[in-house]
Amino acid sequence: MQKHSVSDFLHSGPPSMPILAPPALIFFCNSVLFISLFTRLPNIQAAMQVNKATLGLALLGGALGTVLALPIAGRVNNRFSPRRTAALSLMILSVVTPLLAMVPYAGFVVCFVFFAFIRTMLDVAQNMISTGIEQSSGVKVISRSHGFWSVGLLLGTMASGWAAGQGMTPFAHLAVIGLLVFACALIVLRITPDAMSAQAKSGSAAPVFIRPTRAILLVALMLFGLAIIEGAIYDWGMFLIRERVTTDPARAGLLFAFFTIGMGATRLAGDWLRGIFRPSLLLRASAVLVAVGLGIILNFENEWLAAIALALIGCGVAFNYPLAVSTVISMRSVNSPAENLAALSMVMLVATIGVPPLLGSIAELYGISTSFVAILPLTLLAFLMAPVSEGRGLREDGNIGQEAR
């Protein structure tokens, strides 16, 4: 039997490991931490004794953390490799997340800034790993990788609903999740290959701040509409359910799970669908599904209709980010893929930075439903910008975006 040294453990993974396993586990752990925190926000808000507008201002700290991380996220991944960056980020987040449930408001803001900083590093790393595997193997894994984000959302939401129903405190709940994720991070370090090292080096001498090109701006505009709605569901969806449909935390968690079921099922079938339908058709269908879902949940308070509506919204937002990532990765550019992803994230951050506190203020003044009515027209923007997903208009200084399929 072959023996493995500590160096082998840190620098390689078994070649027989299924190629989807590393990004699947990373996306899964990332989403479990994320959704476990956000589904317990109503309890955390009550413990801090703040209103929705004040909580929205705290969530703005996430934008600050992302601002601080994005200029260096590509360089960090280039320097240490996406594999090491992903594993270490998961370990740090597994410790920070439970702290958010036990600190006072000021501490929550500080910890949330750091939480967002590390998650930005992780987001770039996980997308570099999945796109690197896809490009090196020729097997489409991007949508399925994001599908495991949705699987994590589903299981995390169900676990949160159960924990809340049992009276478990947010800190105890998040501490258990953190221990599980820390263990998974060790597995990530073991099984993930350094598949992206060659591509990463190509951009190692790039400046810290990557100027977004016209192509990046167009992709961001395509991404913007559904990204705002997806983010609103994460941040305020549980408040919407508990105020309009049911006040029972366990039943609210179960209803939120339908959003993750719709997203997960669509993403797991996404690579197959990408092989059949044009990206623009998929995005336009997505925009229609989101609009229909929002229309239902804003007009009816029935639990079954709410479940159907949330599932439709989940299906609708499922393709948005995976197709944007695929489009950016396929672009010919002087920058590395990691740097292009960081540039896209920076543009999206600047464009959406005030959305969480704005929606929180609208909810506090006019009700949570009004916040979602305000973002409903953004589905039209996604519908109109869908052709960008096929590389249309992505000519920039002679570099032409290849079709993202």
Side-chain angles (χ1 to χ4, degrees), residues 264-294:
T266 304
R267 282 182 171 173
L268 290 174
D271 292 313
W272 173 71
L273 292 172
R274 285 170 63 201
I276 298 175
F277 300 104
R278 295 172 62 176
S280 62
L281 179 60
L282 292 173
L283 276 181
R284 282 180 168 163
S286 298
V288 171
L289 288 175
V290 172
V292 171
L294 283 176

Side-chain angles (χ1 to χ4, degrees), residues 69-263:
L70 281 176
I72 63 172
R75 294 173 66 88
V76 167
N77 275 275
N78 292 345
R79 174 64 179 85
F80 296 104
S81 83
R83 174 179 71 92
R84 297 185 186 90
T85 303
L88 182 58
S89 295
L90 286 174
M91 292 177 186
I92 295 173
L93 289 173
S94 69
V95 176
V96 173
T97 305
L99 294 179
L100 287 162
M102 63 177 294
V103 293
Y105 181 77
F108 181 93
V109 173
V110 172
C111 288
F112 197 68
V113 170
F114 187 61
F115 176 85
F117 180 92
I118 299 299
R119 278 200 72 245
T120 302
M121 299 292 178
L122 178 58
D123 286 346
V124 173
Q126 67 187 10
N127 281 294
M128 290 306 301
I129 289 169
S130 60
T131 53
I133 290 173
E134 183 166 297
Q135 290 180 344
S136 62
S137 68
V139 179
K140 292 186 181 300
V141 299
I142 292 177
S143 185
R144 282 180 292 168
S145 297
H146 285 265
F148 278 90
W149 161 274
S150 303
V151 172
L153 292 182
L154 172 60
L155 295 182
T157 299
M158 295 179 67
S160 292
W162 178 86
Q166 296 297 311
M168 184 179 294
T169 66
F171 174 76
H173 169 209
L174 296 177
V176 171
I177 296 297
L179 287 173
L180 293 175
V181 169
F182 191 93
C184 289
L186 297 176
I187 299 175
V188 166
L189 192 63
R190 179 69 181 96
I191 69 174
T192 306
D194 278 331
M196 296 304 297
S197 56
Q199 290 192 32
K201 289 178 183 177
S202 66
S204 60
V208 171
F209 291 94
I210 306 298
R211 181 182 66 87
T213 63
R214 174 179 176 273
I216 292 292
L217 293 175
L218 283 173
V219 174
L221 191 59
M222 176 192 77
L223 179 62
F224 180 80
L226 296 186
I228 290 293
I229 295 172
E230 182 181 356
I233 293 291
Y234 292 142
D235 293 348
W236 304 107
M238 188 62 71
F239 291 91
L240 179 68
I241 294 170
R242 292 182 66 168
E243 291 185 18
R244 280 192 56 83
V245 185
T246 177
T247 57
D248 181 82
R251 295 181 71 84
L254 183 61
L255 283 175
F256 194 94
F258 279 88
F259 167 75
T260 64
I261 290 171
M263 179 189 288

Side-chain angles (χ1 to χ4, degrees), residues 289-300 309 313 376:
L289 288 175
V290 172
V292 171
L294 283 176
I296 292 174
I297 200 169
L298 290 171
N299 285 282
F300 301 95
I313 297 171
L376 178 58

